[in-house]
Amino acid sequence: MYRDKKMKELPSDLRPYEKCLKYGADALSDTELLAVIIKNGTKNNSAIMLADELINYNNSDKGIANLMYLTREEYRSVKGIGDVKATELLCICELSKRLWRREMFKGHNINSPNMAASYYMEELKYCNQERVYIMLLDTRSVFLKSVMIAKGTVNLAVISPREIFYEALIHRAAAFILIHNHPSGNADPSKEDIVFAEKLKELGSLMNIPLRDSIIIGNNCYISMLEKELI
């Protein structure tokens, strides 16, 4: 009803910022929360309209979670979202991921493939770029740190194990888990995935920093090579 109106044309109680001040942030819809962050619209589109367009970008059905998967270029393709707003939104999304992860995993033992996969699932399940991470663990399998090893069009065959073990050594990890996604949504490991994991397992044994598992994230699913007895 009000989405096509300019912000100043709305009753004060329906303007997201004023509504937040009066009733609190939890009273705002997803679109209104995003509109508060966007602050200003354009001559023809209010902040609410811009927020609505971002949430439904590319006819997505993910709702507010759609923001997690937009690139800088996709943010900037929306008229009214320039470099500054795109950067702010990217940082807010990254901050929310880090806050959630910290609260969920701080001091926890990563004692199952499901727990390790859960750490990355929200970020990777719909990601259209391949990303490779290592999850570093201490002697009790307590989570230490997540490190991105590669991003974009990734060929595991050209990733140097040296970089992986360098990160493990500088962070004093006692073991690690390899995580990467398949943008196709199919989590089945390729022959290349298996060969690379076997190489890391062999090197890890030699260096006394064992590979605990190699996990592939697909479209809201995962496959553990350990569980499948592939490594």
Side-chain angles (χ1 to χ4, degrees):
M1 177 178 180
Y2 295 108
R3 290 179 187 273
D4 59 346
K5 290 183 178 293
K6 295 180 179 179
M7 201 69 72
K8 64 182 179 181
E9 295 174 347
L10 293 176
S12 60
D13 281 359
L14 292 176
R15 297 173 193 164
Y17 186 82
E18 285 81 356
K19 185 177 177 180
C20 182
L21 288 176
K22 187 171 183 178
Y23 301 109
D26 58 343
L28 273 59
S29 68
D30 290 348
T31 302
E32 290 170 332
L33 281 169
L34 185 54
V36 171
I37 294 167
I38 291 173
K39 298 184 184 72
N40 301 311
T42 65
K43 181 178 179 180
N44 298 315
N45 293 324
S46 68
I48 289 179
M49 294 169 70
L50 289 179
D52 191 59
E53 187 172 351
L54 287 172
I55 289 172
N56 296 287
Y57 187 89
N58 204 24
N59 297 315
S60 170
D61 60 357
K62 302 184 188 77
I64 193 69
N66 192 40
L67 300 182
M68 295 287 190
Y69 307 103
L70 298 183
T71 64
R72 181 185 301 277
E73 291 70 28
E74 287 172 329
Y75 274 117
R76 293 187 70 254
S77 70
V78 174
K79 189 174 182 180
I81 305 295
D83 280 331
V84 172
K85 286 182 181 177
T87 300
E88 289 174 345
L89 291 168
L90 286 167
C91 288
I92 287 168
C93 288
E94 182 61 29
L95 180 63
S96 68
K97 286 187 285 187
R98 294 187 188 189
L99 287 169
W100 177 79
R101 285 173 173 171
R102 181 172 177 81
E103 289 304 304
M104 288 294 292
F105 292 91
K106 182 182 178 183
H108 281 213
N109 293 74
I110 308 300
N111 51 25
S112 70
N114 181 63
M115 193 169 187
S118 296
Y119 184 89
Y120 298 94
M121 185 62 71
E122 287 305 309
E123 177 179 355
L124 296 180
K125 65 183 179 181
Y126 300 124
C127 188
N128 57 13
Q129 286 185 318
E130 190 166 2
R131 298 182 183 182
V132 181
Y133 290 89
I134 51 171
M135 175 179 263
L136 302 176
L137 310 173
D138 72 7
T139 54
R140 297 173 296 139
S141 294
V142 172
F143 171 64
L144 294 175
K145 188 177 181 65
S146 173
V147 179
M148 182 185 289
I149 300 299
K151 176 181 179 180
T153 302
V154 177
N155 180 353
L156 289 179
V158 300
I159 295 177
S160 172
R162 179 186 301 174
E163 182 178 357
I164 291 173
F165 287 102
Y166 171 77
E167 293 291 344
L169 287 167
I170 65 171
H171 294 293
R172 299 184 178 182
F176 69 100
I177 298 171
L178 181 71
I179 310 272
H180 78 281
N181 66 309
H182 284 175
S184 66
N186 183 349
D188 291 335
S190 66
K191 181 179 179 180
E192 181 185 78
D193 294 333
I194 297 171
V195 169
F196 187 67
E198 288 176 338
K199 181 192 292 186
L200 289 180
K201 184 177 181 180
E202 181 180 351
L203 292 171
S205 295
L206 291 172
M207 297 188 65
N208 200 27
I209 309 175
L211 172 69
R212 292 281 175 81
D213 200 351
S214 180
I215 295 173
I216 302 171
I217 306 289
N219 189 345
N220 212 22
C221 62
Y222 74 89
I223 282 181
S224 158
M225 290 195 195
L226 182 66
E227 288 183 333
K228 294 291 183 181
E229 298 182 346
L230 296 172
I231 57 171

